[in-house]
Amino acid sequence: MIRRTKAKTAAGNRAQRKKEPVADEGAKTAVFLKGTSTSQIVTDALKDLYALKKPDGVMFSKKNDIHPFDDHKPLEFLSQKNDASMFVFGSHSKKRPHNLVIARMFDYQMLDMIELGIQNMKTLEEFDSAKATLGNRPLIIFNGENWDSTDELRTVKSMFLDLFTGDTSAEQINLAGISHLITFTCVGNPSSPCRFLMNTYNIKLMKSGVKLPRVELEEMGPSFEFIQRRCTLANIDMMKESLRTPNLNKPRKEKNIEKNEYGERTGRIWMEKQDLSKMQTRKMKGLKRKATEEPEANDEEE
């Protein structure tokens, strides 16, 4: 548990208010850093992943003596210092070559982690094509049914969605602003160490002669072949707490009020049964009951 001190200045109070939880979080800030021993493949991978994450990322140039699976306290400290909720950590060793660790935080505490090994890679510079526009959100596709077969693969899928989704507060999407696509394809048997491919494509909107354009894909990089290694799943109680949403943005349900197909509001009201014999009507001479009618009515009843 991280000890939190009370701010002593107005600037400190403003900084703490910015870090308080909100209903719409926006894009998750990710920190990219490397360990004491890295390879050129890991360095290029961190550089290219950071290029896809911009501007919601922070890149550390210095090496860090951090071992996330042995002690995650340094990452929790950096999370609070940089107000970051995700980490991408690169390292290289004889036992785990070309290693990437993606960690996710909640309330500046470690939520879950995945460890991936880079088997094959092509960098952004190896593709002679247009690159993604800074700040544009990508389309993300997960190919295959194996992504929901195990808890580890579900965690991997959730990690990459959080890493690349970006700000989701926009209510409308401009078709011309969709510039790139990221695909994840799971290959092999999920029961064994699973391998999956990550490919990035540039989206071209061509003339088609109709209102909707013809879409063509051109690979722009980077592309990876990952192999799944260690995984630390989230604590159930902490995961439930992280997924809890406040009731601020939920519209209050109105009873017996609906919208029809034209968008008009229609409602139903409930009333007691009316006794029409006691209903007050307009007084007219023709509606008055004569005195001679009452005995006749009594005779008929007898």
Side-chain angles (χ1 to χ4, degrees):
M1 184 68 66
I2 298 176
R3 183 175 62 90
R4 298 179 182 175
T5 58
K6 187 177 180 180
K8 298 181 180 179
T9 61
N13 286 324
R14 289 194 296 269
Q16 285 188 352
R17 281 196 295 270
K18 288 182 179 179
K19 296 182 180 182
E20 291 178 353
V22 292
D24 297 324
E25 292 183 348
K28 297 180 183 294
T29 302
V31 175
F32 297 80
L33 68 164
K34 51 189 176 182
T36 54
S37 177
T38 58
S39 62
Q40 187 61 40
I41 292 178
V42 171
T43 303
D44 292 340
L46 291 174
K47 179 182 176 182
D48 290 350
L49 291 175
Y50 171 65
L52 293 177
K53 181 62 177 174
K54 283 182 180 180
D56 304 312
V58 180
M59 185 73 173
F60 287 1
S61 58
K62 294 183 179 181
K63 296 182 178 181
N64 301 270
D65 188 11
I66 297 175
H67 304 278
F69 282 89
D70 297 333
D71 182 17
H72 49 72
K73 294 297 182 183
L75 292 181
E76 292 179 349
F77 171 76
L78 293 173
S79 173
Q80 187 177 22
K81 187 176 180 180
N82 296 276
D83 194 19
S85 57
M86 297 198 72
F87 286 88
V88 182
F89 178 81
S91 62
H92 176 73
S93 64
K94 185 177 180 180
K95 187 177 181 180
R96 296 183 179 89
H98 315 307
N99 201 50
L100 278 183
V101 176
I102 303 178
R104 189 164 47 181
M105 318 295 289
F106 171 68
D107 196 18
Y108 307 119
Q109 300 178 42
M110 183 62 65
L111 182 63
D112 48 10
M113 283 188 296
I114 58 172
E115 187 179 53
L116 306 173
I118 304 174
Q119 292 193 321
N120 290 311
M121 175 188 173
K122 285 187 178 181
T123 62
L124 277 167
E125 298 176 354
E126 296 182 38
F127 294 91
D128 187 14
S129 60
K131 306 306 177 187
T133 307
L134 182 67
N136 278 12
R137 291 173 54 195
L139 293 177
I140 304 175
I141 297 177
F142 289 87
N143 298 315
E145 299 177 354
N146 294 333
W147 289 107
D148 296 323
S149 59
T150 62
D151 292 337
E152 289 78 9
L153 286 177
R154 279 192 288 267
T155 302
V156 172
K157 179 180 177 180
S158 178
M159 285 274 193
F160 280 108
L161 283 175
D162 280 350
L163 185 62
F164 293 118
T165 295
D167 189 3
T168 58
S169 60
E171 297 181 357
Q172 296 181 347
I173 298 177
N174 184 7
L175 189 61
I178 303 175
S179 60
H180 60 295
L181 164 71
I182 303 176
T183 64
F184 296 90
T185 306
C186 186
V187 295
N189 188 2
S191 59
S192 59
C194 186
R195 295 185 304 110
F196 61 93
L197 308 176
M198 172 183 168
N199 299 94
T200 312
Y201 298 92
N202 183 30
I203 299 177
K204 291 184 176 181
L205 303 179
M206 313 296 289
K207 292 183 178 180
S208 62
V210 294
K211 185 176 181 180
L212 294 177
R214 178 169 54 89
V215 179
E216 291 186 358
L217 300 180
E218 180 185 13
E219 192 166 7
M220 70 172 191
S223 65
F224 297 94
E225 181 181 349
F226 292 115
I227 185 171
Q228 181 185 343
R229 291 176 178 166
R230 292 180 291 180
C231 180
T232 299
L233 299 178
N235 180 273
I236 297 177
D237 295 334
M238 185 178 289
M239 178 60 77
K240 288 182 179 179
E241 183 66 19
S242 66
L243 297 176
R244 185 173 61 87
T245 56
N247 296 326
L248 300 176
N249 297 335
K250 293 183 180 179
R252 187 176 178 180
K253 187 176 180 180
E254 296 178 288
K255 290 184 65 176
N256 304 323
I257 295 180
E258 299 175 350
K259 281 190 176 182
N260 59 15
E261 56 185 359
Y262 302 105
E264 300 173 342
R265 296 179 67 190
T266 59
R268 293 180 296 171
I269 58 175
W270 302 90
M271 298 180 63
E272 296 180 358
K273 187 176 181 180
Q274 292 181 334
D275 187 1
L276 299 180
S277 63
K278 298 180 180 180
M279 185 173 63
Q280 179 67 40
T281 58
R282 186 177 178 183
K283 295 180 179 180
M284 296 176 62
K285 292 182 178 180
L287 296 177
K288 287 184 178 181
R289 179 177 293 179
K290 298 179 180 179
T292 58
E293 294 179 358
E294 296 181 358
E296 294 179 359
N298 294 335
D299 295 340
E300 291 176 1
E301 291 178 0
E302 293 178 355

